[in-house]
Amino acid sequence: MARFVFITGGVVSSLGKGLASAALGALLQARGFSVRLRKLDPYLNVDPGTMSPFEHGEVFVTDDGAETDLDLGHYERFTGVAARATDSVSSGRIYSTVLEKERRGDYLGKTIQVIPHVTNEIKDFISIGEDEVDFMLCEIGGTVGDIEGLPFFEAIRQFGQDKPRGQCIFMHLTLLPYIAASGELKTKPTQHSVKELRSIGIAPDILVCRSERPIPQKEREKLALFCNVRSDSVIAAYDLKSIYEAPLAYHREGLDQAVLDAFQISPAPKPDLSRWHDVYDRIFHAEGEVRVAIVGKYTQLEDAYKSIAEALTHGGMANRVKVRAEWIDAEIFEREDPAPYLEGFHAILVPGGFGERGTEGKIRAAQFAREREIPYLGICLGMQMAVIEAARNLAQLPDAGSEEFDHEAGQKRFTPVVYHLKEWVQGNQTVARKADDDKGGTMRLGAYTANLSAGSRVAGIYGATVIEERHRHRYEVDIRYREKLEEQGLCFSGMSPDGRLPEIVEIADHPWFIGVQFHPELKSKPFDPHPLFADFVRAAKEVERLV
Ligand code: GLN
């Protein structure tokens, strides 16, 4: 049976709880344990799939097709353990399950209450697959004291009691603000936050304290005394230059040792941190820099394309170069010539997105990359834009467009080179959709197989002709235009197994021009960069050599 670590936050949000959880997962793995990480989010959306990236950052998609919190991306990048639908839950999902059961009559006439019905549902969720791993790390979103979070805190309190002694520990992440005027780090907010936690019956075993200054021994002892934790369980979390330093930094501060001590695991297995030393070396000993322009819509919030930014960093690590990603609002290219903006870049990436706004600009960016022979990677909508560009400018279809934009505008303006997919095959089942379906959870989601043409550039990059990648889209390139486009040099080099859905397009007669209907960024890891990103950055590096 797994040991459970519950990770909560206090004082303020955005302290890096997800990162701390992910780094702890990596450290426990380094000591030979198997881990799984989970996120419990207090908001009322059933999942983040319907939230704007401006609200919640990127939606991370699992192999089994769940649209989840972006922290699951951190978990995967640090542990390499593929997240599942059962690793992310929200209050909305919990309540909707409870209400479905109530309607079905499962509660046999009982009055449905937060305790025990909602808390039981949360506890059932936490224990899914508990026999599969040594450690289950569960992060509670938000901060202690939030109204919405209360059922989760109550559930983990109960969970700790339900399990045999020593099976669950609580780790609380807080902030020690630095007051410049007095030159002091303040422990009071942490004391209050722990008081709040204890008032709901949870006594933390470990305190992780974010601080911009070194935490003096005196303050550690004060925290230990007032918060009732051992002084060696007060762990400092300092600002880092790269998130991938986190496992080594937390190890230096004694986090993994404190966790093993709290579970009384002795002697503690020695850690093998060679993977993280190598990652560190690749980041901090890069030679040279490549500049990649990301032409997208959600450019104000970096979290909106979190996995893409990380995958580019990994691609840089594979080539021992630093990748400087710069975000450019696609709408600019609807008013202005892209050339002065894009000329200085070694590569151009057009990421995924929804809706028509900015798409003409993305099409112009794809055209610029094609004509100027600059490496281009189009992801999902970025592939659709590249296809539309080729259809318009090479295949004499000046009205080529996507049905997505006509649907949005409520009028027919385009030749639908990209159309609304209503039926497709998943495994050995047919999935059907209607135009007026609900928005939540109805896209083509999760891992699908693609067959790559032997001899194509992508088959070379992957070193395989059968691949599996994660999807999240409603629209699809229409194979009826395949011949016309291939005549012009845009090859459909990756297809769904039934040959109906284009998965990859590429231009052979170009230094590097690839569009993919899926999201390769979701599977990239610092210690295992995704081959497409690694090769994209390699191609960008070649451009630099030519400059
Ligand atoms: N909006 C497009 C579609 O639904 C692309 C989606 C995406 O880029 N993730 O097909």
Side-chain angles (χ1 to χ4, degrees):
M1 204 197 301
R3 293 178 169 92
F4 290 83
V5 182
F6 293 104
I7 298 119
T8 58
V11 183
V12 291
S13 58
S14 308
L15 286 178
K17 246 186 309 152
L19 192 58
S21 309
L24 175 60
L27 290 175
L28 290 169
Q29 283 182 323
R31 298 218 187 224
F33 297 106
S34 59
V35 298
R36 178 161 287 285
L37 287 107
R38 287 209 164 132
K39 178 84 192 276
L40 294 88
D41 272 308
Y43 52 73
L44 282 171
N45 300 62
V46 171
D47 63 40
T50 52
M51 281 190 235
S52 154
F54 290 124
E55 288 280 321
H56 195 68
E58 162 187 282
V59 173
F60 191 80
V61 182
T62 59
D63 280 332
D64 54 2
E67 298 177 277
T68 71
D69 187 83
L70 55 79
D71 273 326
L72 269 76
H74 280 316
Y75 303 164
E76 270 205 47
R77 285 189 281 275
F78 279 80
T79 63
V81 177
R84 300 179 187 154
T86 47
D87 293 330
S88 166
V89 83
S90 64
S91 291
R93 165 90 58 204
I94 295 285
Y95 279 103
S96 78
T97 312
V98 167
L99 295 178
E100 264 167 42
K101 287 188 178 173
E102 186 273 339
R103 291 290 84 183
R104 266 203 317 261
D106 290 5
Y107 296 117
L108 305 174
K110 288 264 183 302
T111 306
I112 313 306
Q113 296 182 300
V114 172
I115 306 170
H117 299 97
V118 170
T119 47
N120 281 352
E121 198 60 43
I122 297 171
K123 290 196 286 181
D124 287 349
F125 170 81
I126 292 169
S127 48
I128 294 169
E130 62 179 330
D131 297 326
E132 292 172 21
V133 287
D134 299 322
F135 283 92
M136 193 80 89
L137 313 187
C138 300
E139 179 191 345
I140 314 294
T143 44
V144 59
D146 298 347
I147 291 179
E148 302 170 319
L150 277 172
F152 287 109
F153 283 89
E154 169 60 15
I156 61 173
R157 180 197 69 75
Q158 291 177 19
F159 196 91
Q161 288 296 331
D162 296 347
K163 292 286 172 196
R165 245 177 231 288
Q167 194 89 25
C168 300
I169 66 163
F170 297 89
M171 171 171 138
H172 192 55
L173 204 81
T174 72
L175 173 73
L176 301 188
Y178 177 73
I179 307 294
S182 60
E184 280 178 330
L185 283 174
K186 292 305 203 183
T187 63
K188 192 69 93 190
T190 300
Q191 293 179 42
H192 276 291
S193 174
V194 171
K195 201 167 148 199
E196 179 82 37
L197 205 54
R198 288 167 71 187
S199 76
I200 51 181
I202 296 171
D205 299 279
I206 295 173
L207 277 186
V208 176
C209 302
R210 278 299 295 270
S211 168
E212 45 178 273
R213 306 274 165 140
I215 307 174
Q217 190 57 26
K218 192 170 99 280
E219 309 305 327
R220 287 176 197 257
E221 272 154 26
K222 191 165 161 192
L223 281 165
L225 183 64
F226 285 93
C227 300
N228 197 32
V229 297
R230 290 164 188 276
S231 68
D232 51 10
S233 295
V234 177
I235 307 295
Y238 301 124
D239 298 344
L240 301 171
K241 283 207 194 70
S242 158
I243 57 169
Y244 298 118
E245 269 184 88
L248 295 179
Y250 273 122
H251 177 68
R252 227 174 14 245
E253 297 300 327
L255 177 64
D256 44 335
Q257 189 59 54
V259 167
L260 297 178
D261 287 347
F263 283 113
Q264 299 188 333
I265 296 173
S266 168
K270 287 232 166 330
D272 172 7
L273 294 167
S274 47
R275 170 186 276 186
W276 294 103
H277 284 296
D278 181 51
V279 163
Y280 183 92
D281 187 58
R282 285 176 180 275
I283 292 184
F284 290 100
H285 299 109
E287 289 150 26
E289 181 177 274
V290 298
R291 293 178 68 210
V292 179
I294 305 181
V295 182
K297 181 160 83 167
Y298 316 106
T299 46
Q300 296 99 316
L301 182 72
E302 218 179 286
D303 269 359
Y305 301 114
K306 187 82 199 145
S307 293
I308 289 185
E310 296 308 325
L312 282 171
T313 303
H314 307 160
M317 290 160 69
N319 292 283
R320 286 199 178 265
V321 286
K322 186 172 163 34
V323 175
R324 198 156 99 222
E326 289 176 37
W327 315 85
I328 301 178
D329 183 355
E331 276 182 287
I332 294 173
F333 303 154
E334 292 174 5
R335 304 182 297 267
E336 294 177 52
D337 178 12
Y341 289 89
L342 294 178
E343 260 159 0
F345 287 96
H346 304 115
I348 296 169
L349 190 154
V350 175
F354 294 84
E356 186 171 9
R357 191 160 64 77
T359 50
E360 290 300 323
K362 292 174 192 177
I363 290 169
R364 293 194 71 188
Q367 180 180 7
F368 180 85
R370 179 177 61 76
E371 290 177 350
R372 296 288 195 96
E373 305 207 324
I374 296 172
Y376 176 87
L377 175 58
I379 293 178
C380 207
L381 186 69
M383 156 166 159
Q384 297 172 358
M385 295 302 102
V387 171
I388 291 170
E389 190 278 315
R392 286 185 188 174
N393 300 323
L394 296 175
Q396 272 91 47
L397 287 164
D399 299 327
S402 169
E403 246 188 326
E404 178 173 9
F405 315 144
D406 274 348
H407 281 166
E408 200 180 35
Q411 50 180 304
K412 179 132 187 33
R413 298 163 296 164
F414 295 119
T415 305
V417 170
V418 177
Y419 68 104
H420 187 192
L421 184 68
K422 306 260 176 28
E423 200 181 287
W424 67 91
V425 181
Q426 180 168 34
N428 43 23
Q429 275 183 321
T430 302
V431 186
R433 294 280 184 260
K434 292 192 296 297
D436 57 356
D437 271 347
D438 282 352
K439 286 276 178 286
T442 53
M443 281 186 260
R444 183 174 173 228
L445 286 167
Y448 284 85
T449 303
N451 295 337
L452 312 186
S453 321
S456 61
R457 188 195 296 269
V458 280
I461 292 172
Y462 275 93
T465 50
V466 181
I467 59 161
E468 207 171 80
E469 293 281 7
R470 295 182 195 167
H471 291 246
R472 181 174 186 250
H473 56 108
R474 241 180 268 285
Y475 296 85
E476 201 81 39
V477 172
D478 195 328
I479 41 166
R480 280 180 298 181
Y481 299 95
R482 179 176 186 166
E483 225 179 275
K484 252 183 146 72
L485 288 163
E486 290 200 329
E487 273 167 21
Q488 300 302 324
L490 187 78
C491 298
F492 288 35
S493 52
M495 297 294 294
S496 61
D498 63 4
R500 287 171 54 199
L501 308 177
E503 294 277 7
I504 304 179
V505 295
E506 64 179 56
I507 300 177
D509 189 20
H510 185 286
W512 209 99
F513 192 102
I514 294 176
V516 293
Q517 188 56 74
F518 45 80
H519 290 276
E521 71 275 18
L522 302 179
K523 287 184 33 172
S524 189
K525 291 155 194 100
F527 45 82
D528 185 16
H530 191 287
L532 277 176
F533 280 89
D535 206 60
F536 179 55
V537 175
R538 183 200 54 73
K541 208 172 142 185
E542 296 287 308
V543 172
E544 182 168 48
R545 213 173 290 153
L546 296 175
V547 170

